[in-house]
Amino acid sequence: MSIKVLIPTPLRPYAGKQSVIEVTATTVGEALNDLVTKHPDLRKHLFSEDGKLRTFVNVYLNDEDIRYLSKDATAVKETDTITIVPSVAGGR
Amino acid sequence: MALKIPEILYNQLRQHGESTYPHECCGVLLGELDEAGDKFVRAIAQCGNTRTDSLANRYQISPAELVRIQREAMLAGRDIVGFYHSHPDHPARWSATDLAEAHWTGCSYLITSVELGRAVLTNSFLLLGHEEEKHFEDELLDVIQ
C-alpha cells in the first residue's frame, strides 16, 4: 500500500527537494527501504554503515516513536504518515 | 545569505530566554527559504527543555514536539528553517556540544546570551556540511522593523 513519508528540510536536497514522498510498504522498515531505493542519496544520512538508523534520526509513525512500537517491523496502513526528524539538542 | 526575522518575533525569543533564566530555553523558527538562500522567519514555536538533568547548560527539544511542529508548519505552508536557544551567563557563541548535537544542515541556530536574567546578544549560525564534516558559519541576522 502507499503511505506518506514527511522529509525534514536538511534531507530534502537528497530527496529531489520534495517534502513528502509516497512509498509502498506494509511495515516501517519496508517504507524506509523503498524511500532509499527511490532516493539512494538519502541512505547514508539515515543509516550508519551497519545498516541501523543513525542515533540522531528519529522516525515516527503518526505520533509514535517507532522505537517504542515494533521498530522496523511496525505495521503501517494506508492512512498512516511516517515523519523523519533529526534530533535537536545542544548547550553551552 | 541572511536570516530575516520580524522584530516582534526576535523580541519574543529573547524574552523566552529571560523567562527561563537561569535555565536554557529552546524553540523552533518557522518560515521559508528563498532562491537566494535567505530565510524568512514567519513564526516561532516555543518548546520545553526536556534535558531535566542539566537545564542550566543543556537543552533538548522532544522529537514528538518536533513532529507536531513540523506537521503543523507544513499545513500552514511553512518549513522549519532553524532553532533557537539561550546561553545563561555565557557568550552567544556555539559550543562544542552545540555542534556535536546539531543535525539540521542548512538550518540556522540562533543563540542568545542571557546575563543575570537579561538578554544581551543574539547571534545566528548556519549549519553546513555532511554529518562527518559539519560546521557552523556566522550568519547575518537581519531584524526587520
Side-chain angles (χ1 to χ4, degrees), chain A residues 6-10 12 14 19-20 44-45 54 56 58 60 62-63 83-92, chain B residues 24 56-61 63-64 66 70-71 79-80 83 88 90 95 97-98 101 103-105 130-132:
Chain A
L6 303 190
I7 309 295
T9 37
R12 288 181 201 161
Y14 315 107
S19 57
V20 183
K44 70 176 181 182
H45 298 282
R54 283 176 173 253
F56 58 84
N58 301 287
Y60 273 64
N62 303 318
D63 292 321
T83 304
I84 298 169
V85 281
S87 63
V88 177
R92 65 179 169 87
Chain B
E24 295 199 7
N57 62 0
R58 293 287 183 272
Y59 80 94
Q60 182 174 40
I61 299 176
L66 277 176
Q70 180 172 265
R71 186 169 54 214
D79 275 322
I80 292 175
F83 306 93
H90 201 75
S95 67
T97 303
D98 286 328
E101 305 214 23
H103 305 292
W104 288 66
T105 305
H130 296 304
E131 184 64 24
E132 286 69 24

Side-chain angles (χ1 to χ4, degrees), chain B residues 79-138:
Chain B
D79 275 322
I80 292 175
V81 296
F83 306 93
Y84 71 87
H85 73 282
S86 61
H87 279 180
D89 299 317
H90 201 75
R93 299 290 305 176
W94 57 271
S95 67
T97 303
D98 286 328
L99 180 60
E101 305 214 23
H103 305 292
W104 288 66
T105 305
C107 284
S108 301
Y109 285 73
L110 250 63
I111 299 174
T112 298
S113 59
V114 183
E115 295 177 10
L116 300 174
R118 296 292 303 272
V120 183
L121 268 178
T122 299
N123 291 320
S124 185
F125 305 98
L126 176 63
L127 183 68
L128 294 171
H130 296 304
E131 184 64 24
E132 286 69 24
E133 58 193 34
K134 64 186 177 183
H135 59 280
F136 278 124
E137 285 189 3
D138 292 356

